[in-house]
Amino acid sequence: QVQLVESGGGLVQAGESLELSCAASGSIFRVGAMGWYRQAPGKQRELVAQITSTGSTNYGDSVKGRSTISIDKVQKLVYLQVNGLKPEDTAVYYCNGVLTPLDSEVPRTYWGQGTQVTVSS
């Protein structure tokens, strides 16, 4: 069964950096675009960063200039580093990916269960 599992969340101080990881597991034929989204209490889920299958990246305005998304396609890992964390970065961060399972060869979108990031001032 294909799934995405995030790790690396926790409590950090404002100004610090954090790296989140997302592991894609299961029988995967192809890894497409991968990304990170976040959702703060009472707010809509928003894009943090995305990386396409060709390596192009796109960042949400809230983290642009202080975050980096990267991917290890062989290990099926996606990383998100955010520098200069602010209290408003507090949210549940979700990994998202377009993956093609080996048994269907049809790409579909998967979501991880999320990891909490809390930034204290």
Side-chain angles (χ1 to χ4, degrees):
Q1 182 177 354
V2 175
Q3 59 179 352
L4 299 174
V5 178
E6 305 97 336
S7 61
L11 175 64
V12 295
Q13 298 287 325
E16 293 183 343
S17 299
L18 187 71
E19 183 177 77
L20 303 178
S21 301
C22 172
S25 64
S27 299
I28 299 169
F29 175 66
R30 182 180 292 118
V31 176
M34 301 289 294
W36 289 90
Y37 288 73
R38 70 185 187 186
Q39 188 166 20
K43 294 188 176 182
Q44 291 187 331
R45 191 171 295 189
E46 64 173 0
L47 172 71
V48 179
Q50 184 181 52
I51 185 165
T52 69
S53 58
T54 59
S56 298
T57 57
N58 181 40
Y59 295 92
D61 290 340
S62 59
V63 299
K64 197 171 292 184
R66 58 188 183 94
S67 65
T68 303
I69 186 171
S70 59
I71 188 169
D72 181 338
K73 282 193 172 183
V74 174
Q75 299 297 326
K76 299 184 181 62
L77 290 165
V78 182
Y79 302 97
L80 175 71
Q81 178 162 345
V82 184
N83 302 316
L85 284 160
K86 309 172 184 179
E88 49 264 44
D89 291 320
T90 295
V92 178
Y93 285 69
Y94 296 92
C95 180
N96 162 277
V98 177
L99 306 172
T100 303
L102 192 61
D103 60 357
S104 75
E105 298 189 11
V106 176
R108 53 167 290 193
T109 299
Y110 292 83
W111 289 91
Q113 291 189 328
T115 184
Q116 176 71 47
V117 173
T118 302
V119 183
S120 64
S121 57

